[in-house]
Structures are given as structure tokens and as C-alpha cells.
Amino acid sequence: MGSVATAPHAHAGHAQHHHEESFVSKYIFSQDHKMISKQFLITAIIMAVIGFMMSLLFRLQLAWPGESFALSEFLLGSKWAPKGVLDPNMYMGLVTIHGTIMVFFVLTAGLSGTFSNLLIPLQVGARDMASGFLNMLSYWLFFLSSVLMLASLFVEGGPASSGWTVYPPLSALPQAMPGSGAGMTIWLVSMAIFIASSLLGSLNYVVTVLNLRTKGMKMTRMPLTVWAFFATAVVGLLSFPVLLSAALLLLMDRSLGTSFYLSDIHVAGEALDHVGGSPLLFQHLFWFLGHPEVYIVLLPALGITSEVIATNARKPIFGYRAMIGSILTIGFLSFLVWAHHMFISGMNPFLGSVFVFTTLLIAIPSAVKVFNYLTTLWRGNLVMTPAMLFSIGLVASFIAGGLTGIILADSALDIQVHDTYFVVAHFHVVMGVSAIFGMFAGVYHWFPKMYGRMMNTKLGYVHFWLTFVAAFGVFLPMHFVGLAGAPRRYYSYSEFPMFEGVMDLNVLITLFAILGGLAQLLFLYNFFYSVFRGPKAVQNPWRSNTLEWTTPVEHIHGNWPGAIPTVHRWPYDYSKPGKAEDFVPQTVPLEHGEAEEHG
């Protein structure tokens, strides 16, 4: 017993388990990766509710332009919704902040911040992240950036209003429009802090995966979740600094009189003193982050889906090494496709053809993932948990969004639908819906590990089906609105006779959006009720193989009370012939003569 008590791992876990933490050190300024993951999740849920409410407010305007809605005046006040009619400047502000919140604060920080933090140490067999302090700092920078972004809604001129892509010159000239003033400056400062948060988190994730794996946890024994989080962190480390530089140069143009993005500008007949810059430079810098950002959002969701589908199909994941290869290939190719957002910017047609080729090329590793998911599901002993339904929903939306992506990847076709609602529909399906489905799958699957309780399965089923129907009810008709030529970000289409045909579709889209909002109320009730009143979870409720399910239900800082377990096999030994159970945890040694699977 003496040797066990003095073992370093056992001693550390024992000491941390019995050390009484104050409320502040345990719940607020925590350095425990599990608590930090909950902080990221709760903050992302709050931001998602705010972002969704914004979308409902501007959808009401699009469906019934000029109509009075008491809700708009109640939420926005009489300045921005006089007599319940949404002000055009606030309409653009809501569109801008909605996009910013959903892309960065929900899908990026909500997915990676929550699940990379929760799962990387648990699944690779580490006591915690490489640096608990930097991990804590990462969350609080994210929280600060969230507060600043929301604060921009309350400045006199309103929030940033140049779209979530904040293209110059609208974003570079404070006098261009009301939202180009203080609201735009706050947006840029908020994003700079957000990027610092993301970089600190990504550094932690990479170092933890490379240096803190437990004995036996070779790279080829890591779950696909960890591979996805690792690749996401690397992509973020290489691409986010480019957006930071773009934001800093934009701040200099706004405040210090430089002309990085401005040239020969006239405002209200007055020639401004700007020469030599180019707004296209900003587009290059923005989209060099902007397209890897799609995969910073998607890869964690795809990693979660890999784990959930394998566990609930009770089958080994098909093509494990091919899945790793597809993750790494997607990450690499994501840096070579940014200019497909700029096909109509006047680029050389030959250069455009290069980006057509690289954009179509990225469909190959994406298709590898889809076919491997379908093959894993094929003839599996499927367990239809809410997490499994959302994972299958992700595969469906990923396929649907990928098909419309082929149209936008072709420069000749893209010209016809560029900056229309077709583009909005495409990226909401492939990026928004797919990533949100992956996030829901992760919450339902790892909720017992996060809170020690179970969510209500029946409410989960209702939540999935309402969300699935609402998502396609919103974005499928939106493709046809775009094909009819309706441009994005217009305040009202009723002024244009050629768009009369899309008004009924806008009403239908808004009704489905309201249905989707009501569905999320079910999730919020289920989530927060289950945190406090849900049935207590057993240690391994899904009969899964990965290491996180070997830790006790009761959280301790250090994860395992004794020595960290040793890994002997890959994480997907489900339904292995000759085994009494249909799952074999990674900690079970190989029997004499048993071959290790490698996928």
C-alpha cells in the first residue's frame, strides 16, 4: 500500500481530490479543464440564444416588411424599432452581429472551447491541459470579447453594420453609416481579444495532444475526436493571426489615417485624403482565415459524429486511417481555397480556375468521411439515442450543403448566384446546421460526463425532429429565393417588382424559423432541468471504449483518483468476435494471440 500511496500520479490525484477549493477558484477562475468546458458551453448557449433572437427579428421584417411588431420595440427600444417597425440601420446591425456571434462565439468557441477542453485530457489520458492558467485565461478572454460584442449594441450609432465580413470601405470610414462609428471599433477590439483567446486555447490543445498522452496512447490509438480537435487547433494557429492582422490594419485605417484598404474615396461629394490602398487586400486577408474557419467549425463536429456513430452503431468505425487522412487533408486544403469567395472581384480567369480546382478537390476527403459514416451505419446494431439522431442529421446536412457547394465552387456558375440568398442557404446548411447538429450530438452524448446526470431522451427526440424539419424548412426554400436573384442583406424586397414571387417564400422561411426557435426552448428546458434534477448517470452509460468513461462520475481535479490507466488497443473495438460484451475498453489488455485492429 505504501508504494501506491507515494506514486506521483496517485499522490497528485489524492491531494487534488481532498483540497477544498473556494467557490471562486472552483466555479469562476477554475483551472480544471472540465469546469472550463462547462463555462465555454454555458456562455455559447447564452450567445446562441441572443444570436437566434436577432435572426428572428430581422426575419420578421423580411416576411412582413414595414409591419409593426411589439416584440421588436420591446427588445430594441423606440429608437431602433419606432412603433414596432425595425429601423433599416438596426436591420443591418442585427444581420452583422448575428453572423459574428454564430460563426465565432457559438460555432467556433462553443464547439472547440467546450469539447476540446472536455475531451482532449480525458481521451488521451492526461490529468489536465498542459497549462491550466492559460486555459483559464483563454475562457476569460472569450468572455470579455463576448461582453464587448454585445456592448456594441448599446452605443449611440448602433453596432457594426457592414455584414459579418466587415468589408471596407463601409467598415473603414467612421462616417460611412451609423454602424461604422463606435460600434465598428468595438467589433474590431472584441474580435482581436477573441483571436487571442482562440490562439491560447489552440496552443494548449496541440501541446496536450503531443506531450501528455498516457502510456500506450499512440497517435494511431487516439479517438477521431482528438484527431479532429488537434487538426482544428493547428488550422486555427495558422489562420487566426491573419485575421488579427487584417483587423489591426483596419483599425489603423479608421483611427490613424493610414490607407491600407482605402483609395480615391468620396463621401457625400467630398474627396477624402486616401490613396494607394485596396479593399481587395482586406478580402484576401479575411478569407484566408474565413475559409479555414469553415473547417475550424466543421472538423470538431465531424470528430464528435465519428465517435457517436461508432458507439451507437456498435461497430468499429470504417476506415479509421482513411478518416485521419481525410481530417488532415481537409485541414491542409482549407488554406488553398479562399479566393473562391472572390470570383467576381476581377481576378485573372486563370487564377480563378486554380481556385475552382482546389475547391473541388476538397470534396474528395469530405466524401471519404461521408462514405465511411454510411458504411459504419450499414448493418450496424443501431441505438437511436438523441446524439445518434443528430449525428445522422449532420451527415444528411453535410451531403446537402456539399452538393450546393459544387455550384458555388465553379466560377462560371458562381457569378450567377454570388451575393444572393443561394450563398446564404449554402453556408448555413453546410456550416451552420451541420456544426450545430454536431454540437447537439456532443452535448447529448457527453452530458453524463459533464454533469453526472442524464438528459430526458423523449424530449431529445422531439427536439431533434422539430429542429431537423425547421432547419430544412428554412434553408431549402432559401436556395430558390437566391436562384430568383434576390440579393442578401436587403432590408425589404417589396419595393422591387421582380422579387414579388419570393415574398411568399420569405413568409414560409420565417414561420419555419419561429418553429426552430420554439424547438430550442425544449432543449434549454431539458438541459438546465437535467443539470439539477436529471437521473444520476452511471459511469459508462453508452458502453463506450474511450478513456473518459473510466473516470469516476464524481469530478475530481486530476480526472483519475489513482494512477492513469494504460492503453492497450484502439478505441473502436465494438462487437469484436469472441468477446462476451459488444465493447472492449481501451484499457483492456490484448489477449494471447489477439490481433490489434487498426481500421
Side-chain angles (χ1 to χ4, degrees):
M1 292 297 289
S3 62
V4 174
T6 57
H9 288 312
H11 181 71
H14 187 270
Q16 287 162 335
H17 182 48
H18 288 92
H19 173 61
E20 290 297 328
E21 294 182 289
S22 68
F23 178 86
V24 171
S25 65
K26 184 174 182 180
Y27 294 105
I28 301 177
F29 296 110
S30 175
Q31 296 188 28
D32 181 0
H33 71 99
K34 299 182 293 298
M35 182 56 65
I36 292 171
S37 77
K38 295 179 190 178
Q39 291 174 324
F40 269 104
L41 179 60
I42 298 298
T43 307
I45 287 174
I46 293 169
M47 295 297 281
V49 170
I50 295 170
F52 203 99
M53 283 302 299
M54 290 177 176
S55 69
L56 289 180
L57 289 174
F58 64 70
R59 284 277 5 143
L60 290 173
Q61 161 61 26
L62 288 172
W64 298 283
E67 293 287 326
S68 175
F69 293 97
L71 178 67
S72 298
E73 188 170 11
F74 173 74
L75 292 175
L76 300 174
S78 57
K79 177 182 178 181
W80 296 116
K83 297 182 180 179
V85 180
L86 185 62
D87 178 83
N89 287 310
M90 180 50 73
Y91 170 85
M92 276 303 296
L94 291 177
V95 169
T96 300
I97 304 301
H98 160 79
T100 305
I101 284 177
M102 299 308 286
V103 170
F104 294 109
F105 294 84
V106 178
L107 299 178
T108 302
L111 261 168
S112 284
T114 300
F115 294 105
S116 295
N117 256 308
L118 176 70
L119 295 177
I120 286 177
L122 287 172
Q123 290 194 335
V124 303
R127 293 287 182 199
D128 207 317
M129 284 290 176
S131 172
F133 175 76
L134 288 184
N135 207 17
M136 177 191 73
L137 192 59
S138 171
Y139 169 72
W140 282 105
L141 287 174
F142 165 60
F143 181 81
L144 176 60
S145 66
S146 302
V147 171
L148 278 175
M149 188 60 68
L150 296 180
S152 72
L153 292 164
F154 300 98
V155 298
E156 185 177 357
S161 303
S162 47
W164 76 277
T165 54
V166 295
Y167 282 176
L170 277 180
S171 59
L173 297 171
Q175 67 269 45
M177 59 192 297
S180 296
M184 187 67 240
T185 302
I186 295 173
W187 190 98
L188 290 167
V189 173
S190 171
M191 284 308 302
I193 296 171
F194 177 87
I195 291 166
S197 162
S198 296
L199 292 176
L200 288 178
S202 295
L203 277 172
N204 236 343
Y205 307 150
V206 169
V207 173
T208 303
V209 169
L210 292 179
N211 291 344
L212 297 184
R213 301 191 307 278
T214 189
K215 184 180 179 183
M217 180 60 79
K218 299 184 291 188
M219 297 288 278
T220 50
R221 286 177 176 171
M222 293 195 312
L224 290 171
T225 40
V226 178
W227 272 107
F229 300 147
F230 176 72
T232 300
V234 172
V235 171
L237 284 173
L238 295 174
S239 60
F240 265 117
V242 179
L243 181 62
L244 180 60
S245 66
L248 293 177
L249 295 180
L250 187 52
L251 274 171
M252 292 168 71
D253 274 11
R254 291 173 56 80
S255 307
L256 301 179
T258 57
S259 297
F260 291 106
Y261 307 130
L262 297 172
S263 183
D264 305 325
I265 298 290
H266 290 72
V267 176
E270 177 192 356
L272 302 185
D273 188 22
H274 289 286
V275 292
S278 170
L280 286 182
L281 171 61
F282 180 87
Q283 291 191 31
H284 281 292
L285 294 175
F286 182 90
W287 288 116
F288 192 82
L289 167 277
H291 206 82
E293 171 66 17
V294 172
Y295 297 101
I296 289 172
V297 165
L298 267 175
L299 284 177
L302 294 170
I304 288 168
T305 296
S306 301
E307 183 66 27
V308 171
I309 284 181
T311 301
N312 290 289
R314 314 310 294 168
K315 276 180 64 180
I317 192 78
F318 183 85
Y320 172 77
R321 290 178 184 267
M323 293 288 259
I324 295 172
S326 69
I327 289 171
L328 298 178
T329 305
I330 286 171
F332 171 72
L333 288 175
S334 70
F335 288 97
L336 304 178
V337 298
W338 80 89
H340 69 223
H341 297 271
M342 302 168 60
F343 281 147
I344 67 165
S345 66
M347 70 166 62
N348 184 298
F350 173 75
L351 187 60
S353 69
V354 173
F355 282 97
V356 169
F357 173 73
T358 55
T359 304
L360 292 174
L361 198 62
I362 208 168
I364 296 173
S366 301
V368 167
K369 299 194 78 65
V370 167
F371 285 119
N372 283 15
Y373 289 142
L374 296 177
T375 311
T376 305
L377 289 167
W378 177 252
R379 302 186 70 177
N381 186 18
L382 305 185
V383 182
M384 287 301 183
T385 64
M388 182 66 155
L389 288 174
F390 274 108
S391 294
I392 295 172
L394 181 151
V395 177
S397 62
F398 193 52
I399 294 170
L403 291 174
T404 56
I406 294 173
I407 295 171
L408 296 175
D410 190 307
S411 55
L413 297 175
D414 177 74
I415 290 172
Q416 312 304 319
V417 290
H418 187 86
D419 258 351
T420 69
Y421 266 94
F422 190 90
V423 177
V424 178
H426 160 74
F427 77 72
H428 273 83
V429 171
V430 78
M431 182 179 170
V433 174
S434 297
I436 287 288
F437 279 7
M439 193 170 179
F440 281 136
V443 170
Y444 280 106
H445 190 75
W446 280 287
F447 188 88
K449 182 49 55 185
M450 297 183 82
Y451 294 101
R453 294 180 181 271
M454 303 294 290
M455 293 181 75
N456 185 298
T457 302
K458 290 181 180 178
L459 284 179
Y461 291 151
V462 177
H463 173 226
F464 167 74
W465 284 111
L466 288 179
T467 303
F468 188 83
V469 169
F472 280 90
V474 167
F475 299 116
L476 187 61
M478 203 177 280
H479 288 88
F480 296 100
V481 174
L483 288 173
R488 61 197 292 194
R489 297 177 184 154
Y490 272 35
Y491 174 71
S492 171
Y493 295 95
S494 58
E495 308 298 321
F496 304 93
M498 72 282 285
F499 297 135
E500 284 181 3
V502 306
M503 289 308 299
D504 289 342
L505 281 179
N506 266 329
V507 173
L508 180 67
I509 290 167
T510 302
L511 292 175
F512 273 114
I514 293 170
L515 174 65
L518 295 174
Q520 305 326 303
L521 294 178
L522 272 181
F523 169 76
L524 292 173
Y525 169 78
N526 193 2
F527 181 90
F528 287 106
Y529 179 86
S530 300
V531 167
F532 301 104
R533 298 289 183 86
K536 290 193 174 179
V538 297
Q539 186 171 357
N540 189 359
W542 314 123
R543 294 157 57 85
S544 189
N545 292 340
T546 42
L547 284 183
E548 73 268 28
W549 304 107
T550 65
T551 61
V553 176
E554 178 194 357
H555 286 178
I556 57 173
H557 195 168
N559 296 334
W560 288 270
I564 298 176
T566 300
V567 168
H568 299 278
R569 58 181 71 232
W570 76 322
Y572 299 108
D573 270 340
Y574 292 104
S575 302
K576 194 167 188 180
K579 298 294 182 183
E581 298 274 5
D582 68 351
F583 72 109
V584 187
Q586 288 188 276
T587 54
V588 175
L590 293 167
E591 295 177 1
H592 180 70
E594 181 184 359
E596 182 180 359
E597 299 288 342
H598 295 289

